[in-house]
């Protein structure tokens, strides 16, 4: 599967240091489905299993990206609630997550994110709800400063 450049999507910039540190790669992104993966190696807890918090980082990254695609370039999506059920440990390999919509409204969007191991077994199921807000408009003073700087 070819890696996807999230910067190619209008309104979605760099995904941030947590995404870089965990090794998350976005594979597919459209309003109906966002798919990404990350290695288990480097993302484990003291027992050598994939850390549950890192599973949530992957789930929230994919769900928030899906909500941002739904919201459009003039709006921002931010996670306000996440829950996750960890079904089985992951010890090696790659975890792949798929985010699909449960509800997409004007102000709230909810996604189901299923994380699977290399054998296709479900490792974790998460649900993420995002608040969708308009981007702040520049203040009058900021616009005047911008105009005078030209």
């Amino acid at each position: 599967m070819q890696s996807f450049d999230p910067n190619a999507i209008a309104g979605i910039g760099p995904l941030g240091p947590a995404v870089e540190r965990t090794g998350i790669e976005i594979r597919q992104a459209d309003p109906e489905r966002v798919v990404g993966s990350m290695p288990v190696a480097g993302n484990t807890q003291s027992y050598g299993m994939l850390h549950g918090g890192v599973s949530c980082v992957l789930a929230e990254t994919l769900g928030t990206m899906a909500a941002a695609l739904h919201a459009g370039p003039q709006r921002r999506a931010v996670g306000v609630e996440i829950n996750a059920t960890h079904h089985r440990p992951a010890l090696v390999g790659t975890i792949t997550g798929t985010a699909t919509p449960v509800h997409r409204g004007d102000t709230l969007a909810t996604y189901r994110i299923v994380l699977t191991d290399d054998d296709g077994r479900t490792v974790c199921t998460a649900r993420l709800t995002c608040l969708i807000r308009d981007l702040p408009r520049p203040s009058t003073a900021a616009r005047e400063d911008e105009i005078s700087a030209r």
Side-chain angles (χ1 to χ4, degrees), residues 55-127:
S55 294
C56 289
V57 170
L58 177 58
E60 186 155 355
T61 298
L62 301 177
T64 301
M65 179 175 278
L69 288 167
H70 163 66
Q74 299 305 313
R75 304 186 83 202
R76 176 171 292 146
V78 293
V80 295
E81 188 271 339
I82 188 167
N83 69 44
T85 302
H86 305 287
H87 304 288
R88 67 172 27 92
L91 303 171
V92 297
T94 302
I95 299 300
T96 299
T98 303
T100 55
V102 173
H103 168 79
R104 291 184 297 181
D106 290 335
T107 58
L108 284 179
T110 302
Y111 291 83
R112 179 176 190 254
I113 306 99
V114 178
L115 307 183
T116 58
D117 63 16
D118 290 330
D119 295 324
R121 297 177 301 181
T122 301
V123 171
C124 175
T125 304
R127 188 187 71 231

Side-chain angles (χ1 to χ4, degrees), residues 2-36:
Q2 187 175 15
S3 187
F4 179 84
D5 179 9
N7 297 313
I9 302 172
I12 298 178
L15 298 179
V19 172
E20 291 175 22
R21 278 189 213 114
T22 54
I24 295 172
E25 293 185 9
I26 304 302
R27 304 292 186 181
Q28 174 188 347
D30 61 60
E32 296 297 322
R33 178 179 159 105
V34 174
V35 179

